[in-house]
């Protein structure tokens, strides 16, 4: 099994990043560019960021965990449709394709996170005090959530193709309601009561506690995030295993 997954990881790497000279560079520039754009836009309207002194660092601490969730959920969701031809071989299963895509995305996101945060900490003047534990736990939780959402969606996409468009519409507001460019505590009570059910808000808050020692993030519940992630992944994996033939044969 590990050989199959390893081969799929290499294939995904070549397919996703190796076909153009800038493939790997774009994987870094895309989130870095989004962070820079947020900092430029919001700095024109707000005198100081909600936390710290640097706009770009504050938005990076929100966007990177959101990107970790969103990127993994997106690529894992398309695992079956992209690799269906390979699944005609008995040794390749839908779950192998999901795990391979997840591994490659995790490695990419970790490299991107290190490069973006290290660069910002060097160039910005912000008295942050890093605590790697909360940062890594927050990013891991974001990626686990992406795996859970992506796995269950991969199964649904196989049988209900229109769900891909519906999910895209439903998921579009996530960027706005995931505390990327604001803090959960700054919202009115009614908004807090709604957004507390958004698991991405919790992982963003956890990551920020690793950068800003004054930020407590008392609302963060990683038990909720990891429990939901495990439920979605195990449900999707069980469906993939028990309906493997149906998933592969669907067109």
């Amino acid at each position: 099994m590990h050989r199959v997954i390893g081969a799929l990881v290499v294939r995904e790497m070549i397919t996703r990043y190796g076909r153009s000279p800038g493939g790997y560079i774009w994987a870094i520039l895309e989130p870095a560019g989004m962070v820079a754009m947020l900092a430029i836009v919001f700095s024109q309207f707000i005198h100081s960021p909600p936390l710290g002194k640097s706009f770009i660092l504050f938005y990076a601490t929100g966007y990177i965990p959101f990107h970790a969730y969103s990127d993994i959920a997106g690529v894992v969701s398309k695992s079956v449709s992209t690799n269906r031809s390979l699944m005609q071989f008995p040794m390749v299963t839908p779950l192998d394709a999901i795990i391979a895509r997840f591994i490659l995305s995790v490695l990419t996101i970790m490299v991107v996170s290190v490069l973006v945060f290290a660069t910002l900490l060097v160039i910005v003047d912000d008295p942050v005090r890093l605590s790697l534990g909360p940062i890594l736990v927050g990013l891991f939780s974001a990626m686990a959530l992406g795996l859970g959402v992506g796995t269950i969606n991969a199964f649904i996409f196989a049988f209900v193709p229109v769900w891909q468009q519906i999910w895209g519409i439903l998921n579009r507001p996530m960027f706005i309601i995931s505390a990327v460019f604001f803090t959960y505590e700054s919202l009115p009570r009614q908004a807090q009561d709604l957004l507390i059910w958004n698991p991405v808000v919790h992982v963003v808050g956890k990551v920020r506690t690793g950068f800003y020692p004054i930020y407590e993030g008392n609302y963060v519940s990683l038990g909720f995030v990891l429990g939901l992630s495990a439920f979605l992944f195990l449900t999707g994996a069980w469906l993939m295993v028990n309906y493997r033939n149906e998933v592969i044969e669907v067109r």
Side-chain angles (χ1 to χ4, degrees):
M1 178 179 178
H2 64 279
R3 291 183 179 179
V4 173
I5 293 176
L8 288 173
V9 169
V10 173
R11 179 181 182 274
E12 287 290 340
M13 188 182 300
I14 296 173
T15 303
R16 200 186 310 179
Y17 302 122
R19 289 184 173 177
S20 62
Y24 294 98
I25 298 175
W26 181 248
I28 300 172
L29 292 182
E30 182 181 9
M34 178 61 73
V35 169
M37 185 185 71
L38 287 172
I40 293 171
V41 171
F42 282 95
S43 64
Q44 305 302 311
F45 304 98
I46 306 174
H47 295 295
S48 61
L51 292 171
K53 298 180 179 179
S54 169
F55 280 97
I56 194 167
L57 183 59
F58 173 77
Y59 294 125
T61 60
Y63 183 74
I64 293 299
F66 171 82
H67 174 72
Y69 152 75
S70 179
D71 181 75
I72 289 181
V75 298
V76 171
S77 295
K78 298 177 182 178
S79 298
V80 173
S81 59
T82 304
N83 296 283
R84 183 173 277 120
S85 60
L86 293 177
M87 296 174 195
Q88 301 301 324
F89 297 99
M91 70 287 294
V92 180
T93 69
L95 204 54
D96 291 334
I98 287 173
I99 294 173
R101 284 202 153 200
F102 175 68
I103 291 173
L104 178 59
S105 293
V106 167
L107 296 175
T108 303
I109 289 168
M110 294 306 296
V111 171
V112 169
S113 300
V114 169
L115 291 176
V116 170
F117 286 134
T119 302
L120 292 180
L121 291 173
V122 170
I123 65 175
V124 303
D125 181 20
D126 203 327
V128 298
R129 187 176 65 197
L130 289 183
S131 178
L132 291 179
I135 297 171
L136 293 175
V137 170
L139 288 176
F140 171 80
S141 300
M143 292 186 285
L145 179 65
L147 174 63
V149 171
T151 302
I152 196 71
N153 271 341
F155 180 81
I156 299 174
F157 287 177
F159 292 95
V160 189
V162 72
W163 176 247
Q164 187 167 345
Q165 285 70 40
I166 296 174
W167 175 253
I169 295 172
L170 294 177
N171 198 49
R172 200 163 295 164
M174 283 292 288
F175 178 70
I176 300 174
I177 63 174
S178 294
V180 172
F181 48 86
F182 57 84
T183 60
Y184 172 82
E185 294 86 351
S186 66
L187 299 174
R189 183 65 183 178
Q190 294 85 345
Q192 291 184 7
D193 292 340
L194 291 175
L195 292 192
I196 197 67
W197 296 103
N198 178 359
V200 183
V201 170
H202 295 264
V203 299
V204 169
K206 188 64 177 180
V207 170
R208 281 180 172 151
T209 63
F211 282 89
Y212 303 100
I214 63 171
Y215 189 64
E216 297 180 352
N218 294 325
Y219 65 92
V220 173
S221 174
L222 293 186
F224 163 60
V225 178
L226 295 176
L228 177 62
S229 304
F231 171 76
L232 292 174
F233 173 72
L234 292 175
T235 301
W238 183 86
L239 291 170
M240 287 290 185
V241 170
N242 285 273
Y243 295 92
R244 178 195 174 195
N245 293 335
E246 290 82 349
V247 168
I248 294 174
E249 293 171 1
V250 169
R251 296 296 181 190

